Amino acid sequence: MRKLLFIVVLSPIVAAMGWLYFHERELSDYGPAYHEFAYITNGKSNTVSVIDLRTFQPAKTIKVGSEPTGIAANSKKNEVYVVNAGSSNISVIDAERNTVVATIGVHGRPFFIDVSADGKRGYVANSGSANFSVIDLEKRVVIKNIRVGSSPGLARISPDGGTVVVSNRGDNTISLIDAQHLTVRDTIPLCQQPEDIAILPDSSKAFVACAASEQVASIDLKNDKLLALLDVGKTPVHLALKPDGGELMVSNFDSDNISIIETTTNEVGGSYLIGTHPTRGLVTADNSRLYVSNFGSNTVAVYDIDIGKMIATLPVGSRPDGLALSQSQNYLLVLNSASGDVTVIQKRTPKKKFEPGEYSLLTMIPVGVQPNNIVVKSFVLAKPPSK
């Protein structure tokens, strides 16, 4: 009887202690005026899924154009732009109402959009038309279509707003465009099949990944010339730049590793095994951690940049691809392209002996078919005018 009483009394205490040790921390309360949403393009559903990052619950599913791919948020206004490759247009989403408020037609088969730092212009490479479109985001019209090379994959604006870099996959070149006069300043031959582009914060250099030649090109944007072709791993598909611009992380899909480029010296500092078929990389705002989605092993790798070592491998859904961080940097969102969901991973600092490690699974959220890109938009709604 004493043993039974001991079990009856002790069990709730043990359970309570376990809950205190292992439960997930409550999400921060920013007040009712604060909003933070994740927007996910679902390529085979022709929709955008909206997730409320205050509660990590689905908020809305928005119908857009055909085959949505790229997506970007405006830093100066509460709008999100969706690139529809199949219908060759851009859907403009009002983030306050989460509704499509405009559709802007561009040319054939666009995949991505980049938005200028001042929030006034959008740049879209049209892969099927050998040109790119410059969009006035305030008037929501195309200002100009500029002829570039064959099969342009990406158009990226420099942080200072002076140069648009366009990677032309079909003829192995990049086009450099004067963003003020909207004219082609130069065309530079590069390595084979250039696509992803990273531009340094001071706008002095651009780096371009060439998937077919196992190289990354370094380009001087002040003098419009090729500086170096840097040998990396097989099929470099994505570039993740540290916010301070000092290092560039290259995801080498067919080498199962990452290469780290020192951007000042144009040297490959080293290569590190990271997982099967790494697809995307994302560096935290404090420059300390790199997250890499491993498409072939259904994991996300955590690489500590300061110590130069992979410190965790986190299981996620099937065929992970796109990545995003919450505004607080405490939650990593992973798009699982085959399973049609989003894995949310929480980062925290364990304070008790028996708590789990630094990273833990918070939840998994179903979205649409073949989610491929994600952007996070946070804002505070202005108070309604007093009556």
Side-chain angles (χ1 to χ4, degrees):
M1 179 63 69
R2 286 180 181 177
K3 189 178 292 185
L4 180 61
L5 287 172
F6 178 78
I7 293 171
V8 169
V9 172
L10 189 61
S11 293
I13 297 173
V14 171
M17 289 177 65
W19 182 84
L20 286 171
Y21 279 135
F22 294 106
H23 83 288
E24 299 290 348
R25 282 150 175 73
E26 292 182 0
L27 303 178
S28 301
D29 183 8
Y30 295 101
Y34 180 80
H35 294 268
E36 185 173 351
F37 297 110
Y39 296 85
I40 296 107
T41 52
N42 302 305
K44 296 298 183 183
S45 298
N46 301 334
T47 60
V48 168
S49 295
V50 185
I51 297 172
D52 190 331
L53 296 186
R54 298 171 302 174
T55 61
F56 291 97
Q57 295 292 325
K60 197 170 185 180
T61 300
I62 303 172
K63 188 74 174 177
V64 290
S66 175
E67 297 178 48
T69 54
I71 190 166
N74 193 316
S75 62
K76 301 301 183 183
K77 59 197 302 189
N78 297 332
E79 289 185 348
V80 173
Y81 310 105
V82 181
V83 181
N84 304 302
S87 51
S88 299
N89 55 23
I90 311 298
S91 299
V92 180
I93 295 174
D94 181 330
E96 296 181 11
R97 295 181 288 160
N98 281 324
T99 57
V100 174
V101 293
T103 301
I104 304 168
V106 290
H107 283 200
R109 299 297 293 178
F111 288 101
F112 302 100
I113 183 170
D114 200 20
V115 178
S116 61
D118 62 9
K120 294 181 178 180
R121 286 185 178 179
Y123 301 90
V124 180
N126 302 305
S127 66
S129 304
N131 65 5
F132 82 100
S133 300
V134 183
I135 301 171
D136 184 325
L137 296 176
E138 295 179 333
K139 296 179 180 179
R140 297 173 180 165
V141 295
V142 173
I143 301 170
K144 192 173 183 180
N145 294 303
I146 301 174
R147 189 78 179 176
V148 289
S150 175
S151 301
L154 184 66
R156 183 145 289 165
I157 181 70
S158 59
D160 66 4
T163 304
V164 183
V165 182
V166 182
S167 53
N168 304 309
R169 297 169 298 171
D171 58 15
N172 303 327
T173 65
I174 59 163
S175 299
L176 302 179
I177 285 82
D178 183 316
Q180 182 178 356
H181 299 98
L182 296 182
T183 56
V184 177
R185 203 167 70 205
D186 209 340
T187 300
I188 302 175
L190 290 186
C191 33
Q192 297 176 30
Q193 200 175 328
E195 185 155 359
D196 199 22
I197 303 166
I199 303 176
L200 296 189
D202 65 2
S203 303
S204 63
K205 289 182 185 177
F207 292 85
V208 182
C210 295
S213 58
E214 304 176 17
Q215 292 174 313
V216 170
S218 172
I219 297 101
D220 181 347
L221 294 183
K222 301 302 181 184
N223 299 293
D224 294 353
K225 68 177 183 178
L226 175 65
L227 295 173
L229 292 175
L230 308 173
D231 294 328
V232 291
K234 295 180 181 177
T235 322
V237 292
H238 189 259
L239 303 175
L241 184 66
K242 286 174 61 178
D244 65 12
E247 292 177 311
L248 182 68
M249 318 299 177
V250 186
S251 297
N252 302 309
F253 188 82
D254 287 316
S255 290
D256 300 336
N257 66 4
I258 57 169
S259 298
I260 300 180
I261 293 173
E262 304 289 339
T263 60
T264 303
T265 59
N266 290 328
E267 294 177 341
V268 180
S271 295
Y272 305 89
L273 291 174
I274 204 76
T276 306
H277 295 333
T279 307
R280 306 276 185 104
L282 179 63
V283 182
T284 56
D286 64 2
N287 301 289
S288 67
R289 295 282 169 87
L290 168 70
Y291 300 111
V292 180
S293 56
N294 292 311
F295 191 81
S297 52
N298 300 335
T299 61
V300 166
V302 184
Y303 180 86
D304 190 307
I305 297 171
D306 295 331
I307 65 175
K309 181 181 178 181
M310 188 168 69
I311 60 171
T313 301
L314 311 171
V316 291
S318 181
R319 303 300 192 197
D321 193 357
L323 301 170
L325 281 162
S326 66
Q327 186 69 24
S328 68
Q329 304 278 293
N330 291 329
Y331 301 95
L332 175 68
L333 290 83
V334 184
L335 302 189
N336 303 305
S337 61
S339 51
D341 50 33
V342 177
T343 300
V344 182
I345 295 168
Q346 183 182 30
K347 179 182 182 295
R348 61 186 190 175
T349 303
K351 295 181 180 179
K352 298 181 183 295
K353 183 178 179 181
F354 298 108
E355 278 190 313
E358 188 177 7
Y359 295 94
S360 60
L361 173 67
L362 179 66
T363 188
M364 295 188 76
I365 304 169
V367 287
V369 181
Q370 198 178 306
N372 46 40
N373 280 288
I374 179 171
V375 72
V376 171
K377 177 65 180 176
S378 61
F379 54 92
V380 177
L381 281 177
K383 293 182 180 180
S386 56
K387 296 181 180 180

